[in-house]
Amino acid sequence: MSRQATKINISEEQRTALENGYRNGSTHSFRMRCLMVLGKADGLSNAAAGARAGQTYQRVMHWVKRFQSDGIAGLRNKPGNG
């Protein structure tokens, strides 16, 4: 039995912010987090979204949850975490 990728719903405003973050973010890690969330919004599986950003599917799940709870600000490093 194959599992279908779960697409997340984002607004146009969120998509624009994520695309801008991917293109112009100040750190590589932030840009890759934006890319992972965009991948999920485009309907990619966690594994495919992770592979595109050089991350594991677990990291994709983590950052999607952070995005859903805290918005794009949740994708930034928290103070004291590098």
Side-chain angles (χ1 to χ4, degrees):
M1 175 170 101
S2 69
R3 293 185 58 181
Q4 189 168 2
T6 304
K7 183 178 179 178
I8 63 167
N9 294 315
I10 62 172
S11 68
E12 278 303 312
E13 183 179 315
Q14 289 173 313
R15 177 172 289 279
T16 299
L18 287 165
E19 288 172 347
N20 185 52
Y22 172 61
R23 284 192 299 274
N24 303 311
S26 60
T27 65
H28 177 74
S29 59
F30 176 72
R31 292 190 300 273
M32 292 302 99
R33 292 167 190 164
C34 291
L35 183 62
M36 287 186 275
V37 174
L38 283 167
K40 288 301 294 177
D42 291 339
L44 295 179
S45 68
N46 290 330
R52 188 163 86 166
Q55 298 291 319
T56 66
Y57 74 91
Q58 294 99 331
R59 297 311 303 160
V60 174
M61 293 181 344
H62 171 81
W63 289 111
V64 167
K65 285 179 187 176
R66 280 268 296 266
F67 175 77
Q68 290 175 323
S69 67
D70 301 333
I72 196 161
L75 302 181
R76 298 193 185 281
N77 288 332
K78 291 184 177 181
N81 288 341

